[in-house]
Amino acid sequence: NFTNCTTVIPLTFQTNVLTELRKWKLSLIEHHKLQMRQEKEKHAAHVRQLRNEMENLKELLRTYEISIGRKDEVVITNLTQALERQKERVELMRKFSLWRIQHVKTKQEEYTNRIADRQFRTGLMKKVWAAWRAISEEKWKEKVAKACQLRAEDVCVQLTNDYEAKIAELTATLEQTKAEILRLHSEREQYEDTMKKAFMRGVCALNLEAMTMFQGK
């Protein structure tokens, strides 16, 4: 019975841990899909806004073309420069949007591959995504990529240390449990040996008493 308990307890504990990890994995995957869907919706709205701005700029361009025929050279130059600046701004926004879509796709692929290797990296991807969004509003993509990489490395090191400490703690607990089981086995063997000796002494005493009674008769 004690041998069966030694086998069943670790197997049950391992099964429960694997079940919890699967549930955590599915929950994180669903959460990431929801985030990606929300981000795509935001991007679609942003693209529609850019298209509306481009339409407005086209209307403004037609207005400028009509006004050019009636304005002097200074006004024409100013309007042309303003229009060029607007075109450059729209072009930059379009390029940034395309780069952002490509970047999101790349992150999604990396995220899916990491899930197949280790489930806990999902939290890391979430933190990197949040850091990237916060920094991308102020800095260009090179500084953003560098900051994300440093943050990801720090989080990876922290998570690795935490899991190693937890594994060490569980290992120590398992060793203590094994030692306790061995001690109980030893006590049981000693108890059985003592009971056998006591039984044998009782049998011998009964035999001596019976012999005495027969000799007396």
Side-chain angles (χ1 to χ4, degrees):
N1 293 332
F2 283 96
T3 303
N4 293 334
C5 292
T6 306
T7 305
V8 171
I9 292 175
L11 288 178
T12 304
F13 177 76
Q14 182 178 5
T15 302
N16 293 335
V17 170
L18 291 176
T19 302
E20 291 297 327
L21 287 176
R22 292 190 188 99
K23 291 180 180 179
W24 185 36
K25 172 183 175 181
L26 293 176
S27 177
L28 291 175
I29 291 174
E30 291 298 328
H31 182 68
H32 174 69
K33 288 181 178 179
L34 177 60
Q35 282 189 331
M36 295 303 299
R37 185 164 57 254
Q38 291 175 351
E39 187 63 26
K40 288 180 180 179
E41 291 176 355
K42 291 181 181 178
H43 174 71
H46 184 62
V47 171
R48 287 194 297 270
Q49 182 181 359
L50 290 177
R51 289 178 179 175
N52 292 332
E53 290 183 0
M54 291 182 66
E55 292 296 329
N56 294 333
L57 288 174
K58 289 180 180 179
E59 292 294 333
L60 181 61
L61 177 61
R62 286 193 290 270
T63 303
Y64 286 164
E65 289 175 351
I66 295 174
S67 300
I68 285 174
R70 301 190 298 268
K71 300 296 182 180
D72 55 13
E73 184 177 355
V74 177
V75 176
I76 292 174
T77 302
N78 293 335
L79 292 177
T80 304
Q81 291 176 354
L83 182 59
E84 290 297 327
R85 286 194 297 268
Q86 289 291 337
K87 288 182 178 179
E88 291 176 359
R89 178 175 176 272
V90 172
E91 183 64 21
L92 289 175
M93 292 178 70
R94 187 184 67 83
K95 290 181 179 179
F96 179 77
S97 298
L98 294 176
W99 170 81
R100 189 173 182 181
I101 293 173
Q102 184 62 34
H103 186 75
V104 170
K105 290 182 179 178
T106 302
K107 286 293 182 181
Q108 185 178 11
E109 292 177 358
E110 293 177 356
Y111 181 83
T112 304
N113 293 332
R114 289 178 182 178
I115 287 178
D117 296 332
R118 301 178 71 181
Q119 290 83 356
F120 72 88
R121 291 191 179 182
T122 305
L124 171 63
M125 292 299 298
K126 181 179 178 181
K127 293 180 180 180
V128 172
W129 176 250
W132 180 84
R133 288 188 62 185
I135 298 174
S136 63
E137 296 178 355
E138 299 177 359
K139 298 180 180 180
W140 293 96
K141 60 180 180 180
E142 293 180 359
K143 294 182 179 179
V144 173
K146 184 178 179 180
C148 290
Q149 182 179 1
L150 293 175
R151 179 61 178 166
E153 291 175 357
D154 292 340
V155 175
C156 283
V157 171
Q158 184 64 35
L159 290 174
T160 302
N161 294 334
D162 293 343
Y163 273 88
E164 288 179 353
K166 187 64 176 178
I167 291 173
E169 181 182 354
L170 293 175
T171 302
T173 304
L174 180 61
E175 293 298 328
Q176 292 178 358
T177 304
K178 289 182 178 179
E180 181 67 17
I181 292 173
L182 292 175
R183 184 184 66 80
L184 292 175
H185 276 293
S186 178
E187 291 181 356
R188 179 185 177 183
E189 292 175 357
Q190 293 178 0
Y191 176 75
E192 290 177 351
D193 187 60
T194 302
M195 291 297 294
K196 288 179 181 179
K197 291 180 180 180
F199 178 74
M200 293 301 296
R201 287 196 297 270
V203 171
C204 291
L206 290 174
N207 291 335
L208 290 174
E209 184 176 355
M211 291 177 63
T212 303
M213 290 177 64
F214 284 122
Q215 290 175 358
K217 290 182 181 181

